[in-house]
Short mmCIF file of all heavy atoms in Angstrom, two decimals:
data_model
loop_
_atom_site.label_atom_id
_atom_site.label_comp_id
_atom_site.label_asym_id
_atom_site.label_seq_id
_atom_site.Cartn_x
_atom_site.Cartn_y
_atom_site.Cartn_z
N GLN A 1 137.01 36.46 156.87
CA GLN A 1 138.01 37.32 157.48
C GLN A 1 137.40 38.55 157.99
O GLN A 1 136.59 39.16 157.30
CB GLN A 1 139.21 37.59 156.51
CG GLN A 1 140.09 36.41 156.17
CD GLN A 1 141.33 36.75 155.44
OE1 GLN A 1 141.20 37.59 154.47
NE2 GLN A 1 142.41 36.26 155.81
N LEU A 2 137.83 38.96 159.15
CA LEU A 2 137.34 40.19 159.83
C LEU A 2 138.58 41.15 160.08
O LEU A 2 139.50 40.71 160.66
CB LEU A 2 136.60 39.88 161.13
CG LEU A 2 135.49 38.86 161.08
CD1 LEU A 2 134.94 38.53 162.42
CD2 LEU A 2 134.38 39.42 160.18
N VAL A 3 138.42 42.38 159.63
CA VAL A 3 139.45 43.33 159.78
C VAL A 3 138.85 44.53 160.60
O VAL A 3 137.86 45.13 160.10
CB VAL A 3 140.13 43.77 158.45
CG1 VAL A 3 141.14 44.80 158.76
CG2 VAL A 3 140.65 42.61 157.76
N GLU A 4 139.44 44.85 161.75
CA GLU A 4 138.97 45.90 162.55
C GLU A 4 139.82 47.15 162.53
O GLU A 4 141.03 47.13 162.14
CB GLU A 4 138.96 45.37 164.04
CG GLU A 4 138.22 44.10 164.19
CD GLU A 4 138.55 43.41 165.48
OE1 GLU A 4 139.10 44.03 166.40
OE2 GLU A 4 138.28 42.20 165.62
N SER A 5 139.20 48.20 162.86
CA SER A 5 139.92 49.47 162.93
C SER A 5 139.14 50.44 163.94
O SER A 5 137.91 50.27 164.17
CB SER A 5 140.09 50.17 161.51
OG SER A 5 138.86 50.47 160.98
N GLY A 6 139.74 51.48 164.27
CA GLY A 6 139.05 52.57 165.06
C GLY A 6 139.46 52.69 166.50
O GLY A 6 139.01 53.64 167.12
N GLY A 7 140.24 51.72 166.98
CA GLY A 7 140.55 51.82 168.42
C GLY A 7 141.56 52.96 168.66
O GLY A 7 142.18 53.60 167.76
N GLY A 8 141.79 53.38 169.89
CA GLY A 8 142.80 54.32 170.25
C GLY A 8 142.60 54.79 171.67
O GLY A 8 141.93 54.07 172.47
N LEU A 9 143.18 55.92 171.97
CA LEU A 9 143.22 56.40 173.32
C LEU A 9 142.18 57.66 173.34
O LEU A 9 142.22 58.49 172.52
CB LEU A 9 144.63 56.98 173.70
CG LEU A 9 144.73 57.76 174.97
CD1 LEU A 9 144.39 56.84 176.18
CD2 LEU A 9 146.11 58.32 175.14
N VAL A 10 141.29 57.59 174.32
CA VAL A 10 140.31 58.69 174.40
C VAL A 10 140.18 59.01 175.91
O VAL A 10 140.27 58.16 176.74
CB VAL A 10 138.98 58.21 173.77
CG1 VAL A 10 138.43 56.98 174.51
CG2 VAL A 10 137.95 59.34 173.67
N GLN A 11 139.75 60.21 176.23
CA GLN A 11 139.50 60.67 177.57
C GLN A 11 138.10 60.18 178.00
O GLN A 11 137.15 59.93 177.20
CB GLN A 11 139.56 62.17 177.68
CG GLN A 11 140.92 62.72 177.61
CD GLN A 11 141.00 64.16 177.79
OE1 GLN A 11 140.12 64.99 177.34
NE2 GLN A 11 141.99 64.63 178.57
N PRO A 12 137.92 59.96 179.27
CA PRO A 12 136.57 59.69 179.84
C PRO A 12 135.52 60.61 179.33
O PRO A 12 135.80 61.86 179.33
CB PRO A 12 136.76 59.67 181.38
CG PRO A 12 138.20 59.42 181.56
CD PRO A 12 138.92 60.06 180.43
N GLY A 13 134.47 60.05 178.96
CA GLY A 13 133.36 60.89 178.33
C GLY A 13 133.42 61.07 176.84
O GLY A 13 132.51 61.55 176.19
N GLY A 14 134.48 60.65 176.20
CA GLY A 14 134.76 60.71 174.84
C GLY A 14 134.02 59.62 174.03
O GLY A 14 133.35 58.80 174.62
N SER A 15 134.24 59.63 172.75
CA SER A 15 133.62 58.72 171.81
C SER A 15 134.67 58.12 170.87
O SER A 15 135.55 58.75 170.53
CB SER A 15 132.46 59.37 171.03
OG SER A 15 131.48 59.89 171.88
N LEU A 16 134.33 56.91 170.51
CA LEU A 16 135.11 56.21 169.37
C LEU A 16 134.10 55.40 168.59
O LEU A 16 133.04 54.97 169.10
CB LEU A 16 136.16 55.27 170.04
CG LEU A 16 137.46 55.86 170.54
CD1 LEU A 16 138.28 54.81 171.20
CD2 LEU A 16 138.26 56.58 169.39
N ARG A 17 134.49 55.21 167.38
CA ARG A 17 133.70 54.32 166.46
C ARG A 17 134.60 53.23 165.95
O ARG A 17 135.58 53.51 165.21
CB ARG A 17 133.07 55.17 165.27
CG ARG A 17 132.05 54.36 164.50
CD ARG A 17 131.71 55.04 163.29
NE ARG A 17 130.46 54.46 162.64
CZ ARG A 17 130.20 54.65 161.39
NH1 ARG A 17 130.96 55.28 160.55
NH2 ARG A 17 129.06 54.07 160.83
N LEU A 18 134.21 52.01 166.25
CA LEU A 18 134.98 50.80 165.68
C LEU A 18 134.32 50.38 164.51
O LEU A 18 133.12 50.35 164.38
CB LEU A 18 135.10 49.73 166.74
CG LEU A 18 135.61 50.16 168.13
CD1 LEU A 18 135.66 48.90 169.04
CD2 LEU A 18 136.96 50.71 167.98
N SER A 19 135.20 49.93 163.52
CA SER A 19 134.65 49.36 162.25
C SER A 19 135.21 47.99 162.13
O SER A 19 136.38 47.73 162.47
CB SER A 19 135.09 50.22 161.10
OG SER A 19 134.53 51.57 161.29
N CYS A 20 134.37 47.19 161.42
CA CYS A 20 134.92 45.81 161.11
C CYS A 20 134.37 45.42 159.74
O CYS A 20 133.23 45.53 159.45
CB CYS A 20 134.27 44.76 162.16
SG CYS A 20 134.67 43.03 161.77
N ALA A 21 135.28 45.08 158.95
CA ALA A 21 134.95 44.69 157.57
C ALA A 21 135.06 43.17 157.34
O ALA A 21 136.15 42.57 157.71
CB ALA A 21 135.96 45.41 156.50
N ALA A 22 134.05 42.60 156.85
CA ALA A 22 133.97 41.14 156.67
C ALA A 22 134.28 40.86 155.13
O ALA A 22 133.74 41.57 154.33
CB ALA A 22 132.65 40.55 157.08
N SER A 23 135.03 39.85 154.91
CA SER A 23 135.31 39.36 153.53
C SER A 23 135.37 37.95 153.49
O SER A 23 135.50 37.20 154.59
CB SER A 23 136.60 40.01 153.05
OG SER A 23 137.71 39.63 153.77
N GLY A 24 135.30 37.37 152.26
CA GLY A 24 135.37 35.96 152.14
C GLY A 24 133.95 35.44 151.92
O GLY A 24 133.08 36.09 151.23
#
């Protein structure tokens, strides 16, 4: 199972960090 987080709204030039946790 993969569970993601970290998405959202950001302005051009900005940054985001997505995370994914694996289990099972």
Side-chain angles (χ1 to χ4, degrees):
Q1 289 190 316
L2 304 173
V3 180
E4 306 162 17
S5 61
L9 174 65
V10 65
Q11 290 186 316
S15 299
L16 283 174
R17 190 191 195 202
L18 305 183
S19 300
C20 175
S23 62

